[in-house]
Amino acid sequence: MRRTLGAAAVVAALTSVSVVAAPPIIAQVLNQQTVTASGSYRWGDVGSEYDEVNVRLTREEGVVSAEVAGLRDGKQVATAVRKLPEPLTSPVRIQLGKRAVAVVLPGKVTNAELVLWGSGGSGSQVEWMDAFGMTVAVTQTASDVPHLDRLDWVWIDDAGTLHSIDGTPVARLALSEENWVVFHSKSQGEVGVFGQFAFPASVTVPRNMLDGGLVFGKSFTYQIGLFPAGSTELQLTLSNPKGDWAAVQLSDGTTVAVARVPGDADQVVRKISYRKSDGSLVKLGH
């Protein structure tokens, strides 16, 4: 269980006491914080590298350190430590073992996701470290993590602003009464819906929207498509009139479209039409 005391509460507690240094218990609260940021996962026959991942931030003589620890069978078996600037202005990536990664993000973050489709991420568990004004997010993966310095995260801060480490195009998309966030990571070759699903960009070409779909709990079957930069006049005809779709243009000029129909459907999108940047009209399906 995490025990913390917010800075405002500490100040209020000290207003009636004339002291030069904070009492030891308050100094400890302000200078150390530990959270369990990830549990164990399974992807078919593959289990996560660690049963538990803990992150501890400490401040000593003005230097902040992040210690990421992996536990297996109740024993700590791996540790990674990084020093952090304070205040933190840009994300810091930390790798633990071969299949676990953490990122320390500036400020308070409400949700974060690692853009890494090919490694089967567990989803990032996000913890606000209020004593330090930072947020940590940890992801365990089914396969080895490639190139730590190239990994990108998309996140939403406490004010609702969208961010990414490497400038991944990201935008909000309204599907009926639901507000989603879509992204297109060129560095990872991935297109996805934040917190829902993602696919290699190579399989999200417009024509592939006509084939099958992804079922979530048998409530809806979904399709996602990435349209070339400069596309306009996009229209989708769905297999079920009770379905819905929406599209948004990203900062790189590409357009992401998400469509869904009720139930477990063999097809979501029947027809597609859009105009390319050169003005030519493209029609797909029948």
Side-chain angles (χ1 to χ4, degrees), residues 3 6 9 19 43 51 63 71 105 111 149 158 188 217 241 267 280:
R3 292 187 175 89
V19 292
W43 302 269
D51 299 332
V63 177
L71 284 74
L105 302 168
N111 207 347
D149 291 340
D158 196 39
Q188 298 298 329
Q267 186 182 42
S280 59

Side-chain angles (χ1 to χ4, degrees), residues 83-107:
K83 295 190 183 303
L84 307 175
E86 192 178 23
L88 185 70
T89 57
S90 59
V92 175
R93 307 169 175 96
I94 305 170
Q95 182 165 347
L96 182 68
K98 294 182 178 180
R99 296 191 289 118
V101 289
V103 64
V104 185
L105 302 168

Side-chain angles (χ1 to χ4, degrees), residues 19-276:
V19 292
V20 175
I25 184 63
I26 293 178
Q28 181 180 1
V29 167
L30 290 177
N31 293 306
Q32 181 173 305
Q33 193 168 355
T34 303
V35 295
T36 298
S38 177
S40 60
Y41 296 86
R42 293 203 68 81
W43 302 269
D45 295 332
V46 179
S48 54
E49 190 169 5
Y50 305 107
D51 299 332
E52 184 177 302
V53 177
N54 297 327
V55 180
R56 181 169 66 129
L57 297 187
T58 57
R59 184 187 293 108
E60 186 174 350
E61 296 181 352
V63 177
V64 176
S65 297
E67 178 183 298
V68 184
L71 284 74
R72 195 179 302 120
D73 298 325
K75 298 180 180 179
Q76 184 169 312
V77 295
T79 306
V81 180
R82 286 285 300 272
K83 295 190 183 303
L84 307 175
E86 192 178 23
L88 185 70
T89 57
S90 59
V92 175
R93 307 169 175 96
I94 305 170
Q95 182 165 347
L96 182 68
K98 294 182 178 180
R99 296 191 289 118
V101 289
V103 64
V104 185
L105 302 168
K108 189 172 185 178
V109 172
T110 59
N111 207 347
E113 182 167 304
L114 172 63
V115 181
L116 191 63
W117 178 88
S119 292
S122 63
S124 293
Q125 292 185 236
V126 178
E127 297 288 345
W128 165 233
M129 309 294 272
D130 52 351
F132 294 84
M134 307 173 187
T135 299
V136 298
V138 174
T139 301
Q140 297 204 65
T141 59
S143 56
D144 291 0
V145 174
H147 310 298
L148 177 67
D149 291 340
R150 299 181 191 175
L151 296 185
D152 193 10
W153 272 261
V154 173
W155 72 94
I156 304 173
D157 67 21
D158 196 39
T161 304
L162 303 176
H163 303 267
S164 69
I165 293 182
D166 294 330
T168 291
V170 57
R172 285 185 170 81
L173 178 145
L175 191 61
S176 294
E177 297 180 355
E178 301 176 23
N179 292 312
W180 288 9
V181 173
V182 297
F183 59 86
H184 173 210
S185 171
K186 292 184 177 180
S187 63
Q188 298 298 329
E190 180 177 331
V191 177
V193 177
F194 187 95
Q196 301 290 337
F197 50 82
F199 297 97
S202 59
V203 304
T204 62
V205 295
R207 181 173 294 278
N208 286 355
M209 291 193 78
L210 301 173
D211 300 326
L214 176 67
V215 179
F216 273 166
K218 296 196 175 181
S219 296
F220 289 97
T221 304
Y222 290 84
Q223 263 292 1
I224 187 170
L226 179 69
F227 291 79
S231 298
T232 58
E233 300 178 24
L234 173 63
Q235 290 294 324
L236 304 183
T237 302
L238 306 186
S239 62
N240 186 330
K242 293 183 179 180
D244 53 355
W245 67 276
V248 62
Q249 188 176 65
L250 303 180
S251 60
D252 63 356
T254 61
T255 294
V256 175
V258 178
R260 66 183 180 185
V261 294
D264 186 350
D266 294 331
Q267 186 182 42
V268 176
V269 180
R270 289 180 49 242
K271 293 192 293 185
I272 302 170
S273 68
Y274 66 97
R275 199 170 294 279
K276 297 170 66 174

